[in-house]
Coordinates of all heavy atoms in Angstrom, one line a residue:
T1 N 14.4 73.4 87.1 CA 13.1 73.6 86.5 C 12.2 74.0 87.7 O 12.5 73.8 88.8 CB 12.6 72.3 86.0 OG1 12.3 71.4 86.9 CG2 13.4 71.7 84.8
S2 N 11.2 74.6 87.4 CA 10.1 75.2 88.2 C 9.6 74.0 89.1 O 9.4 74.0 90.3 CB 9.0 75.9 87.6 OG 9.5 77.1 87.1
D3 N 9.3 72.8 88.3 CA 8.8 71.6 89.1 C 10.0 71.1 90.1 O 9.6 70.8 91.3 CB 8.6 70.5 88.0 CG 7.5 70.7 87.2 OD1 6.6 71.8 87.6 OD2 7.3 70.2 86.0
D4 N 11.2 71.1 89.6 CA 12.2 70.5 90.7 C 12.3 71.4 91.9 O 12.3 70.9 93.0 CB 13.6 70.6 90.0 CG 13.7 69.5 88.8 OD1 12.9 68.6 88.8 OD2 14.6 69.6 88.0
L5 N 12.3 72.7 91.6 CA 12.5 73.6 92.8 C 11.2 73.7 93.7 O 11.4 74.0 95.0 CB 13.0 74.9 92.4 CG 14.5 75.1 92.3 CD1 15.2 74.1 91.2 CD2 15.0 76.6 92.1
S6 N 10.2 73.5 93.1 CA 8.9 73.8 94.0 C 8.6 72.6 94.8 O 8.0 72.7 95.9 CB 7.7 73.9 93.1 OG 7.4 72.8 92.3
T7 N 9.4 71.4 94.6 CA 9.1 70.3 95.4 C 10.2 70.3 96.5 O 10.1 69.4 97.4 CB 9.1 69.2 94.6 OG1 10.2 69.0 93.9 CG2 7.9 69.0 93.7
A8 N 11.3 71.1 96.4 CA 12.2 71.0 97.4 C 11.8 71.7 98.6 O 11.2 72.6 98.6 CB 13.6 71.6 96.8
T9 N 12.4 71.2 99.9 CA 11.9 71.8 101.1 C 12.2 73.3 101.2 O 11.3 74.2 101.5 CB 12.4 71.0 102.2 OG1 12.2 69.7 102.1 CG2 12.0 71.6 103.6
A10 N 13.5 73.7 101.0 CA 13.8 75.1 101.3 C 13.1 76.1 100.3 O 12.6 77.1 100.7 CB 15.3 75.3 101.1
P11 N 13.1 75.7 99.0 CA 12.4 76.7 98.1 C 10.9 76.8 98.4 O 10.4 77.9 98.2 CB 12.7 76.1 96.7 CG 14.0 75.3 96.9 CD 13.9 74.8 98.2
A12 N 10.2 75.8 98.8 CA 8.8 75.9 99.1 C 8.6 76.9 100.2 O 7.5 77.5 100.3 CB 8.4 74.6 99.6
A13 N 9.7 77.0 101.1 CA 9.4 78.0 102.1 C 10.0 79.3 102.0 O 10.4 80.1 102.9 CB 10.0 77.4 103.4
A14 N 10.2 79.8 100.7 CA 10.9 81.1 100.2 C 10.1 82.3 100.9 O 8.9 82.3 100.9 CB 11.0 81.3 98.7
D15 N 11.0 83.2 101.3 CA 10.3 84.5 101.9 C 9.6 85.3 100.8 O 8.6 85.9 101.1 CB 11.4 85.3 102.6 CG 12.1 84.6 103.7 OD1 11.4 83.8 104.4 OD2 13.3 84.8 103.8
D16 N 10.1 85.2 99.6 CA 9.6 86.0 98.5 C 9.5 85.2 97.3 O 10.5 84.4 97.0 CB 10.3 87.2 98.3 CG 9.7 88.2 97.3 OD1 8.5 88.1 97.0 OD2 10.5 89.1 96.8
V17 N 8.4 85.3 96.5 CA 8.3 84.4 95.4 C 7.9 85.4 94.2 O 7.1 86.1 94.2 CB 7.2 83.3 95.5 CG1 7.0 82.5 94.2 CG2 7.5 82.3 96.6
L18 N 8.6 85.1 93.0 CA 8.5 86.1 91.9 C 8.0 85.0 90.8 O 8.8 84.2 90.3 CB 9.7 86.8 91.3 CG 9.5 87.5 90.0 CD1 8.5 88.5 90.1 CD2 10.8 88.2 89.8
D19 N 6.7 85.0 90.4 CA 6.2 84.1 89.4 C 6.3 84.8 88.0 O 5.5 85.8 87.8 CB 4.7 83.6 89.8 CG 4.2 82.6 88.7 OD1 4.8 82.3 87.7 OD2 3.2 82.0 89.1
L20 N 7.1 84.4 87.1 CA 7.1 85.1 85.8 C 6.3 84.5 84.8 O 6.4 85.1 83.6 CB 8.6 85.1 85.4 CG 9.7 85.8 86.2 CD1 11.0 85.5 85.6 CD2 9.3 87.2 86.3
Q21 N 5.5 83.7 85.1 CA 4.3 83.1 84.4 C 4.5 82.9 82.9 O 3.9 82.9 82.0 CB 3.2 84.1 84.3 CG 2.7 84.6 85.7 CD 1.6 85.7 85.8 OE1 1.6 86.4 84.9 NE2 0.8 85.6 87.0
G22 N 5.9 82.2 82.7 CA 6.3 81.8 81.3 C 6.5 82.9 80.5 O 6.6 82.6 79.1
R23 N 6.6 84.1 80.9 CA 6.8 85.2 80.0 C 8.2 85.9 79.9 O 8.2 87.0 79.3 CB 5.7 86.4 80.3 CG 4.2 85.8 80.2 CD 3.3 86.9 80.6 NE 3.4 88.1 79.8 CZ 2.8 89.2 80.0 NH1 2.2 89.4 81.2 NH2 2.9 90.2 79.2
H24 N 9.2 85.4 80.5 CA 10.3 86.0 80.4 C 11.5 85.0 80.3 O 11.4 83.9 80.6 CB 10.6 86.6 81.9 CG 9.7 87.7 82.2 ND1 8.5 87.6 82.6 CD2 10.0 89.0 82.3 CE1 7.8 88.8 82.8 NE2 8.9 89.7 82.7
V25 N 12.6 85.7 79.7 CA 13.8 84.9 79.6 C 14.8 85.6 80.6 O 15.0 86.8 80.7 CB 14.4 85.1 78.2 CG1 14.7 86.5 77.8 CG2 15.9 84.3 78.2
V26 N 15.4 84.6 81.5 CA 16.3 85.1 82.4 C 17.7 84.7 82.2 O 18.0 83.6 81.7 CB 15.9 84.6 83.8 CG1 16.9 84.8 84.8 CG2 14.5 85.1 84.3
L27 N 18.6 85.7 82.5 CA 20.0 85.2 82.2 C 21.0 86.1 83.2 O 20.5 86.9 83.9 CB 20.5 85.6 80.8 CG 20.4 87.2 80.3 CD1 21.4 87.3 79.1 CD2 19.0 87.4 79.9
P28 N 22.3 85.7 83.2 CA 23.0 86.5 84.1 C 23.1 87.9 83.8 O 23.0 88.3 82.7 CB 24.5 85.8 83.9 CG 24.3 84.5 83.2 CD 23.0 84.8 82.4
G29 N 23.3 88.7 84.9 CA 23.5 90.2 84.5 C 24.6 90.4 83.6 O 25.7 89.7 83.7
L30 N 24.6 91.4 82.8 CA 25.7 91.8 81.8 C 26.6 92.5 82.6 O 26.4 93.2 83.5 CB 25.0 92.5 80.6 CG 23.8 92.0 79.9 CD1 23.5 92.9 78.7 CD2 24.1 90.6 79.5
I31 N 27.8 92.4 82.1 CA 29.1 93.1 82.7 C 29.7 94.1 81.8 O 30.1 93.7 80.6 CB 30.1 91.9 83.2 CG1 29.3 91.0 84.1 CG2 31.3 92.5 83.8 CD1 30.0 89.6 84.5
N32 N 29.8 95.3 82.2 CA 30.4 96.5 81.4 C 31.8 96.6 82.0 O 32.2 96.9 83.0 CB 29.6 97.8 81.8 CG 30.1 98.9 81.0 OD1 30.7 98.8 79.9 ND2 30.1 100.0 81.6
T33 N 32.9 96.5 81.0 CA 34.2 96.6 81.3 C 34.9 97.8 81.0 O 36.2 97.9 81.3 CB 34.8 95.4 80.6 OG1 34.8 95.5 79.2 CG2 34.3 94.0 81.0
H34 N 34.2 98.8 80.5 CA 34.8 100.0 80.3 C 33.9 101.1 80.1 O 33.0 101.0 79.3 CB 35.8 100.0 79.1 CG 36.6 101.2 78.8 ND1 37.7 101.6 79.7 CD2 36.6 102.1 77.7 CE1 38.1 102.7 79.2 NE2 37.6 103.0 78.0
H35 N 34.1 102.3 80.8 CA 33.1 103.4 80.6 C 33.7 104.5 81.2 O 34.8 104.6 81.9 CB 31.9 103.0 81.6 CG 30.5 103.7 81.1 ND1 30.6 104.9 80.5 CD2 29.2 103.2 81.1 CE1 29.4 105.2 80.2 NE2 28.6 104.3 80.5
H36 N 33.2 105.7 80.9 CA 33.5 107.1 81.6 C 32.2 107.6 81.9 O 31.6 108.4 81.1 CB 34.4 108.0 80.6 CG 35.5 107.3 80.1 ND1 36.6 106.9 80.8 CD2 35.8 106.8 78.8 CE1 37.6 106.3 80.2 NE2 37.1 106.3 78.8
F37 N 31.7 107.5 83.1 CA 30.3 107.9 83.5 C 30.2 109.4 83.4 O 29.2 109.8 83.2 CB 30.1 107.5 85.0 CG 29.9 106.0 85.3 CD1 29.7 105.5 86.5 CD2 29.6 105.2 84.2 CE1 29.6 104.2 86.7 CE2 29.5 103.7 84.4 CZ 29.4 103.3 85.7
F38 N 31.2 110.2 83.8 CA 31.1 111.6 83.9 C 30.8 112.2 82.4 O 30.0 113.3 82.4 CB 32.3 112.3 84.3 CG 33.5 112.3 83.3 CD1 33.7 113.3 82.4 CD2 34.4 111.2 83.4 CE1 34.8 113.1 81.5 CE2 35.5 111.1 82.4 CZ 35.6 112.1 81.6
Q39 N 31.0 111.5 81.5 CA 30.7 112.0 80.1 C 29.2 112.2 79.8 O 28.9 112.6 78.7 CB 31.5 111.3 79.1 CG 33.0 111.3 79.0 CD 33.7 110.6 78.0 OE1 33.1 110.0 77.2 NE2 35.0 110.4 78.2
T40 N 28.3 111.5 80.7 CA 26.9 111.5 80.5 C 26.4 113.0 80.3 O 25.4 113.2 79.6 CB 26.3 110.8 81.6 OG1 26.7 109.5 81.6 CG2 24.7 110.8 81.5
L41 N 27.2 113.9 80.9 CA 26.8 115.3 81.0 C 27.2 116.1 79.8 O 26.9 117.1 79.5 CB 27.2 116.0 82.2 CG 26.8 115.4 83.5 CD1 27.3 116.1 84.6 CD2 25.2 115.3 83.7
T42 N 27.9 115.5 78.8 CA 28.5 116.1 77.7 C 28.4 115.4 76.4 O 29.3 115.3 75.6 CB 30.0 116.5 77.9 OG1 30.7 115.4 78.2 CG2 30.2 117.5 79.1
R43 N 27.1 114.8 76.2 CA 26.9 114.1 75.1 C 26.6 114.9 73.9 O 26.0 116.1 73.9 CB 25.7 113.1 75.3 CG 26.1 112.0 76.4 CD 25.1 110.9 76.3 NE 24.0 110.9 77.1 CZ 23.5 109.7 77.5 NH1 23.9 108.6 77.1 NH2 22.3 110.0 78.3

């Protein structure tokens, strides 16, 4: 939680802080397992 991490020593000294202000859902990046990039030019 934000409360847990804000009181820890290392996170409090983060070089960069992104405050999402309660307006975002965060999840692991999605993983694409099959594609043919070159076909973008011939849709």
Side-chain angles (χ1 to χ4, degrees):
T1 67
S2 294
D3 291 341
D4 291 340
L5 268 64
S6 66
T7 58
T9 301
D15 299 323
D16 189 17
V17 177
L18 177 60
D19 186 348
L20 294 179
Q21 301 178 337
R23 299 180 59 192
H24 293 75
V25 56
V26 170
L27 63 156
L30 308 183
I31 299 167
N32 179 32
T33 59
H34 184 66
H35 207 326
H36 306 295
F37 287 171
F38 71 90
Q39 294 179 12
T40 302
L41 302 179
T42 56
R43 298 201 265 204

